[in-house]
Amino acid sequence: MTGDTDYLTGLAEVLWPCGGMLGRGEPAAIRSGSSPARGGRDSRVYLPVPSAHNPRVILPVTNRYAAARGIAAFAQRHSFRERVRATVLTTAFACGVAPLLLRDRLHVGAGRTIEHALSAALDRTVVIAIHIGPPRANRKPVLLLLTPAGRAIGYAKLGVNDLTSRLVRAETEALGLLAESRLPDITVPRLLHAGEWNGRPLLVQDALPVGDQTDRPTRRQLLRCVLQIGALQPIEVLPLSRSPYRGLLRARIAGLGARPEAEPLRACLEHLPDVRVPFGAWHGDLTRWNLACTPRRAFVWDWERLAFGVPLGFDALHYELNECVQIGVHPGVHRWLDTGARLLRDPLMSGAGLPSGAVATVMALYLIDLATRYLQDRQAEAGARLAAVDDWLLPALAGLRDRAEYETREAAG
């Protein structure tokens, strides 16, 4: 077995130092909760879904309540097909028939496991369901923590390499900061535990009350959320040339070394108009997967990329780009060049200090920042679909640079 199966067995070594082995399930093992492959009463059996070759969720075989809750919690329900698939899987686990249909197993030997550490940290018995997602450089396990009856307690994240360890530590720091901050209409997770497991950083946060009563934000809800996050630090309007952000971005590009994409990014940054831009905080990865809303409140999680002193509006552009590319990268980016500009020209954004003559400049800065992140994290090598910087981002950036110069001339006169 190769590819994702290698990732799965490597992940098992991190979560369960007693070791894990892939195999096939047998009905007798399913009923008894023991593993014939490992042989031991205290061994555990997990079900990779949809398979060991393409694992996206790892569920406990013997606890159908936790398994059904794990499917419901991690399912993406943004299309009719996704909603149907989630409903079918949840029903199959709730009825106890899913382990008979999905035969791949991850058998974990007896010994101290991450479940023991989490139960001790939270002072209660914990069952876990694990989301590992598609291949990306920042791919890491997200553990849904459940009671044996299937009630959600919280979520845990564990660093599995240098990048993901840095992100887990960053989110731990961000949640501590947010606990002391005022976000009038936004709820963020509470930090429940921070520590280490198997020599790697571990973060536990509570579960936000999102579900059928929440939905994706409206345009106004999105922008209000963006502005409240931006105001985590006092908004400061500065000429681009005098902003600390520009110098930091230039240094990040220089850190890319001899990569061929670095020079066009640097050249575009140097030639952007010196417009006045409002600077504040940004979430750093605000998408439909990290944000849910009711009519009066927003729930925002995954704060691992919280940063300060960036152009106001980056979060709105990031959310909109990820929405647009659902139809495909190239047509999505073409749409985003229009819809992203409309978001930044909204009266809520202009009221916060973003002039219409700076819209294309902010969009260009966002793409330079995003490209630099992707290149630093080596996302293209990991297969992230937006990470092919030279394929779509650099052409879009060239057009935005021309648009920025035109907007500046129009604003001047």
Side-chain angles (χ1 to χ4, degrees), residues 276-311:
R276 292 179 65 83
V277 175
F279 293 87
W282 79 311
H283 175 279
D285 193 22
L286 198 66
T287 67
R288 64 163 73 175
W289 301 279
N290 300 331
L291 168 64
C293 290
T294 65
R296 295 186 177 183
R297 195 140 200 91
F299 300 90
V300 183
W301 58 99
D302 283 0
W303 290 87
E304 61 193 22
R305 294 190 182 273
L306 175 66
F308 297 89
V310 303

Side-chain angles (χ1 to χ4, degrees), residues 59-81:
L59 303 170
V61 171
T62 57
N63 189 318
R64 65 181 185 180
Y65 304 109
R69 184 67 179 87
I71 286 290
F74 292 130
Q76 302 296 336
R77 300 170 179 267
H78 301 295
S79 70
F80 177 75
R81 180 179 179 182

Side-chain angles (χ1 to χ4, degrees), residues 149-371:
R151 186 173 68 83
I153 302 170
Y155 288 88
K157 295 183 181 182
L158 185 69
V160 294
N161 55 31
D162 289 344
L163 172 60
T164 56
S165 293
R166 174 170 60 81
L167 293 174
V168 170
R169 293 188 185 99
E171 185 163 15
T172 302
E173 182 179 348
L175 291 179
L177 183 151
L178 291 166
E180 305 296 326
S181 302
R182 183 174 181 270
L183 290 166
D185 303 312
I186 299 174
T187 297
V188 303
R190 289 183 301 117
L191 180 63
L192 300 180
H193 173 74
E196 287 193 349
W197 168 252
N198 202 9
R200 301 163 190 272
L202 173 67
L203 159 69
V204 183
Q205 56 192 270
D206 68 353
L208 294 179
V210 299
D212 293 340
Q213 302 304 310
T214 58
D215 203 347
R216 280 181 280 173
T218 64
R219 175 194 181 101
R220 182 173 182 82
Q221 286 173 325
L222 172 64
L223 292 178
R224 286 177 60 192
C225 185
V226 167
L227 292 176
Q228 287 191 21
I229 293 171
L232 283 170
Q233 71 172 125
I235 304 298
E236 187 175 17
V237 180
L238 295 170
L240 180 58
S241 62
R242 289 174 44 201
S243 68
Y245 172 79
R246 186 173 184 270
L248 290 172
L249 184 55
R250 185 191 297 116
R252 288 171 57 203
I253 296 171
L256 298 175
R259 292 200 62 137
E261 304 93 342
E263 177 53 30
L265 294 175
R266 185 201 63 78
C268 184
L269 178 62
E270 295 299 328
H271 289 90
L272 286 176
D274 190 22
V275 293
R276 292 179 65 83
V277 175
F279 293 87
W282 79 311
H283 175 279
D285 193 22
L286 198 66
T287 67
R288 64 163 73 175
W289 301 279
N290 300 331
L291 168 64
C293 290
T294 65
R296 295 186 177 183
R297 195 140 200 91
F299 300 90
V300 183
W301 58 99
D302 283 0
W303 290 87
E304 61 193 22
R305 294 190 182 273
L306 175 66
F308 297 89
V310 303
L312 199 64
F314 271 19
D315 271 329
L317 293 174
H318 192 75
Y319 186 94
E320 184 66 13
L321 177 61
N322 279 274
E323 288 296 295
C324 287
V325 298
Q326 299 305 308
I327 64 173
V329 172
H330 287 280
V333 170
H334 182 75
R335 176 186 293 181
W336 174 83
L337 290 169
D338 178 49
T339 59
R342 290 207 302 269
L343 275 176
L344 295 192
R345 290 194 177 96
D346 188 278
L348 283 175
M349 297 302 298
S350 57
L354 181 61
S356 60
V359 165
T361 299
V362 170
M363 294 178 72
L365 289 168
Y366 164 72
L367 287 188
I368 296 171
D369 195 298
L370 187 67

Side-chain angles (χ1 to χ4, degrees), residues 62-118:
T62 57
N63 189 318
R64 65 181 185 180
Y65 304 109
R69 184 67 179 87
I71 286 290
F74 292 130
Q76 302 296 336
R77 300 170 179 267
H78 301 295
S79 70
F80 177 75
R81 180 179 179 182
E82 290 165 345
R83 289 195 295 271
V84 170
R85 180 166 49 192
T87 299
V88 169
L89 281 171
T90 302
T91 302
F93 276 102
C95 295
V97 301
L100 302 175
L101 303 175
L102 305 171
R103 301 297 300 279
D104 286 346
R105 298 290 183 273
L106 179 62
H107 302 281
V108 178
R112 183 168 173 79
T113 67
I114 194 168
E115 291 95 331
H116 294 118
L118 292 168

Side-chain angles (χ1 to χ4, degrees), residues 3-12 14-16 22 46-59 70-71 73-76 106 128-144 155-158 160-161 164 302 382:
D4 274 359
T5 55
D6 290 339
Y7 178 86
L8 187 57
T9 53
L11 179 62
V14 174
L15 296 176
W16 304 288
L22 290 171
Y46 292 87
L47 184 69
V49 180
S51 70
H53 292 280
N54 184 34
R56 293 296 176 263
V57 184
I58 305 172
L59 303 170
I71 286 290
F74 292 130
Q76 302 296 336
L106 179 62
I128 64 172
I130 307 165
H131 181 261
I132 59 177
R136 294 183 300 169
N138 57 332
R139 186 190 209 186
K140 59 184 173 299
V142 176
L143 284 63
L144 173 62
Y155 288 88
K157 295 183 181 182
L158 185 69
V160 294
N161 55 31
T164 56
D302 283 0

